[in-house]
Amino acid sequence: MNLEIRNERRNNTIYTDDNTMYKIFKKGYSKNDVFMESFITTYVESLGIKVVSIEEVTQIDGQWAFKSNRHPGKTLFELINENPEKTDEYLNQLVEIQTSIHKYKCPELPIQRQKFTDYINISNLDSSLKIDLQEMLNSSPKHKKVCHGNFTPHNVLISDGEVYILDWNHATQGNASADVARTYLWMKLYMPNFADSYLEKFCEKTNTSSRYVKNWIPIVAASRIHKNNPEEIRLLRDEISVVEY
């Protein structure tokens, strides 16, 4: 195969040829996680949400891979970088797409609250802090909305006027504001000048209090800290430290 690298991420690399896209996972990546992502993507696709449909789960040179039809286009992240004068328009589009996802329900998806609990428990945070975070989580409203779990401009592909949502491996059913808190944290890291504008747009569109969304930030930050991503760890610790007792 004569493949061209399209995007390289922490756990996988995207390759394309004329008609096909391959998402090739790093060596040693969990087989269970590969098939779980394919199942979740298929469930979400069945709802009518536009995804890059997985045509085949295979192995390439001993590495797990998804084979999909190629959709030539650009991500919102690329478009923002290429057209900074249109950033406000693209942020509006980002919020519009994210809130449209939250309108769906899918009982087959993992439970957001349980995933947060599991990740907080395996973190190296202080045990008393874990208890406080769990109490915050237990007292939060219980919703069952489809949540992407890693909704960033990188994961929104625009192709021939159509919108495709990528990378559903973190998807759950749960609270939309927790999903937004995750996006907000990502933007504070990688698009800090636009993080507050993004949150303001979401809150205005959904009539949600920004304080309500921010109450989720320590929980979401704590659920990610076990990954030990060097570029995230400092911000996550800072956000967890603002827990109000």
Side-chain angles (χ1 to χ4, degrees):
M1 292 186 294
N2 185 20
L3 300 178
E4 178 183 352
I5 292 180
R6 181 75 171 83
N7 193 9
E8 190 164 6
R9 305 188 181 192
R10 186 165 180 258
N11 292 315
N12 60 75
T13 303
I14 305 298
Y15 296 87
T16 59
D17 59 20
D18 290 340
N19 301 307
T20 308
M21 183 179 82
Y22 294 90
K23 180 176 181 177
I24 303 179
F25 295 90
K26 304 293 185 184
K27 284 188 176 179
Y29 191 78
S30 165
K31 178 180 178 180
N32 183 68
D33 289 344
V34 169
F35 279 90
M36 180 60 71
E37 181 176 346
S38 70
F39 290 143
I40 289 174
T41 303
T42 302
Y43 285 137
V44 170
E45 183 180 20
S46 72
L47 300 175
I49 297 174
K50 286 272 191 176
V51 304
V52 175
S53 184
I54 299 171
E55 303 297 329
E56 182 181 343
V57 180
T58 186
Q59 284 192 320
I60 298 175
D61 295 331
Q63 295 170 243
W64 287 106
F66 294 155
K67 179 181 177 182
S68 307
N69 289 331
R70 183 186 179 191
H71 297 281
K74 294 183 178 182
T75 66
L76 274 184
F77 186 78
E78 291 171 318
L79 292 171
I80 289 171
N81 284 328
E82 292 175 7
N83 308 283
E85 74 282 358
K86 294 185 177 181
T87 298
D88 195 64
E89 174 186 333
Y90 291 136
L91 289 180
N92 282 329
Q93 188 174 11
L94 186 74
V95 169
E96 184 69 33
I97 296 166
Q98 189 172 26
T99 53
S100 71
I101 293 171
H102 294 156
K103 294 177 182 177
Y104 291 92
K105 292 186 178 180
C106 183
E108 291 83 7
L109 295 183
I111 305 297
Q112 181 190 72
R113 183 180 301 271
Q114 187 60 54
K115 287 193 75 170
F116 286 160
T117 296
D118 293 343
Y119 288 146
I120 290 170
N121 284 339
I122 65 174
S123 73
N124 60 0
L125 296 172
D126 181 81
S127 58
S128 62
L129 179 55
K130 290 182 182 181
I131 292 171
D132 289 321
L133 288 163
Q134 192 61 53
E135 287 181 354
M136 289 177 64
L137 180 58
N138 290 340
S139 65
S140 63
K142 297 175 176 61
H143 296 167
K144 295 184 178 181
K145 298 178 180 180
V146 171
C147 296
H148 183 276
N150 192 28
F151 190 79
T152 73
H154 279 298
N155 285 329
V156 179
L157 175 67
I158 311 298
S159 176
D160 293 329
E162 296 284 353
V163 175
Y164 296 88
I165 314 303
L166 312 176
D167 288 349
W168 286 90
N169 51 312
H170 297 292
T172 60
Q173 50 177 317
N175 193 297
S177 288
D179 199 42
V180 171
R182 166 57 188 149
T183 303
Y184 178 71
L185 282 174
W186 182 93
M187 295 194 77
K188 286 191 73 172
L189 274 166
Y190 302 108
M191 301 179 70
N193 293 334
F194 307 116
D196 289 334
S197 177
Y198 155 77
L199 181 57
E200 181 181 326
K201 290 177 183 298
F202 169 80
C203 291
E204 181 178 351
K205 179 173 178 59
T206 60
N207 196 29
T208 302
S209 163
S210 62
R211 180 174 178 81
Y212 177 70
V213 176
K214 289 181 177 180
N215 283 342
W216 280 99
I217 289 177
I219 296 170
V220 176
S223 74
R224 288 193 60 80
I225 204 164
H226 75 283
K227 294 179 179 290
N228 279 320
N229 292 345
E231 66 274 18
E232 291 190 7
I233 197 74
R234 184 172 181 177
L235 172 69
L236 296 179
R237 287 196 177 278
D238 287 346
E239 295 297 345
I240 295 169
S241 71
V242 304
V243 175
E244 296 180 4
Y245 298 100

